[in-house]
Amino acid sequence: MRVLILGGTGEARELARIASGERGLDIVSSLAGRVATPRLPVGPVRVGGFGGVEGLRTWLRENAIDAVVDATHPFAARVSAHAAAAARELGIPALHLRRPEWARRPGDLWTRVPDLAAAAAELTVHGENVLLTIGRQGVGAFAACAGHRFVIRSIDAPEAPLPARYELLLARGPFTFDEELVLMSRHRIDVLVTKNSGGEQTAAKIAAARTAGLPVIMIDRPALPAGARSVGAVAEAVDWLRAAAAHAVG
Ligand code: NAP
């Protein structure tokens, strides 16, 4: 069974590693090409957009793909929607692998907001120094926040428009709890802005904000495509692939 894994996450790499070792599974991974030097999964990899639902559908057909696992980041909503639509149109099975969200714990000072624009609007009730950890894309939503000074952390540099006052920290996780606490203290951070990405790689900032008593503006995830089948763990996706392969053979 030929499987396309839509990647760009640690979970996608883990799934590609395990599934590549399974008999009867032929895996190809796909990356968007956003990161200049990405961490590559095991096995064949293709890079770049497909050209919308139509392009993806054509690619799936031309490459004789039998099943799709969308293991992209929980905030990569467009490609998830495209994967669901293309698979449905071709009548092939699709699964969405989404790591669990971070849950609020005692001591957390979270304000949950639905999107980047709402996060920017929410800043008006917070202090001046903002730690912005939403990735390279979407920083433009904060460009008009003239009253704040941003520490923007991302893997590659964001593109304009950017806020008037900012400092750029180019870094790739994982980050430790101690590193996050030092960062927050050194920059006299008043508020943390983050997506509810979940997972271990970047969770330390949430614990550090809790310990430091800092408020967090937590951006909620976009919804999965309607009717999507989803699992939260790589092992469940492996089970799903095994069952789909057995079904394909049977
Ligand atoms: P998006 O808004 O859902 O996708 C935008 C377009 O990028 C898609 O329409 C598709 O182009 C292309 N694309 C996205 N993921 C792709 C993949 N794995 N393989 C081939 N094409 C892909 O996605 P995004 O938020 O820009 O994220 C891009 C990639 O970065 C994703 O793969 C995601 O896993 C990773 N990532 C995203 C975030 C985040 O916060 N959004 C964080 C960490 C990693 P076409 O329509 O031309 O096919």
Side-chain angles (χ1 to χ4, degrees):
M1 186 174 81
R2 278 179 63 74
V3 179
L4 173 68
I5 299 177
L6 294 165
T9 60
E11 287 79 8
R13 287 191 296 278
E14 178 75 353
L15 180 60
R17 188 181 64 75
I18 297 171
S20 297
E22 292 272 323
R23 202 154 8 115
L25 293 181
D26 185 5
I27 304 294
V28 54
S29 296
S30 174
L31 300 178
R34 297 281 190 283
V35 176
T37 54
R39 289 184 176 137
L40 290 172
V42 169
V45 181
R46 62 156 309 282
V47 181
F50 296 93
V53 182
E54 207 178 306
L56 178 56
R57 200 177 51 217
T58 303
W59 192 93
L60 292 172
R61 203 184 307 113
E62 287 178 350
N63 289 274
I65 298 295
D66 302 299
V68 177
V69 180
D70 163 32
T72 56
H73 189 271
F75 281 81
R78 191 135 35 110
V79 70
S80 297
H82 292 177
R88 190 176 51 245
E89 288 166 20
L90 291 175
I92 62 174
L95 182 73
H96 300 267
L97 170 58
R98 285 284 173 284
R99 59 176 93 123
E101 293 187 329
W102 291 315
R104 196 194 299 253
R105 301 231 190 117
D108 279 330
L109 304 170
W110 291 8
T111 303
R112 290 178 57 179
V113 294
D115 52 31
L116 291 166
E122 177 64 24
L123 274 183
T124 52
V125 299
H126 290 284
E128 185 182 15
N129 296 321
V130 183
L131 178 56
L132 188 63
T133 62
I134 56 157
R136 178 171 71 82
Q137 302 181 79
V139 173
F142 299 85
C145 298
H148 290 82
R149 192 183 69 80
F150 290 84
V151 175
I152 301 173
R153 182 169 70 190
S154 56
I155 297 176
D156 293 316
E159 282 150 29
L162 298 175
R165 293 186 294 149
Y166 71 91
E167 182 173 336
L168 192 56
L169 297 181
L170 295 183
R172 178 174 357 216
F175 307 102
T176 68
F177 174 80
D178 288 345
E179 284 166 350
E180 298 294 51
L181 262 188
V182 167
L183 174 72
M184 289 169 184
S185 146
R186 181 158 21 99
H187 291 275
R188 299 195 310 280
I189 294 300
D190 296 306
V191 56
L192 167 68
V193 180
T194 176
K195 294 172 172 173
N196 195 337
S197 299
E200 292 301 317
Q201 295 269 317
T202 56
K205 63 187 171 186
I206 307 300
R210 184 185 310 127
T211 299
L214 288 185
V216 176
I217 300 178
M218 181 64 72
I219 304 168
D220 281 339
R221 294 176 173 192
L224 276 167
R229 183 196 301 253
S230 71
V231 294
V234 170
E236 294 173 275
V238 174
D239 287 346
W240 182 86
L241 281 175
R242 283 189 190 130
H247 182 74
V249 169

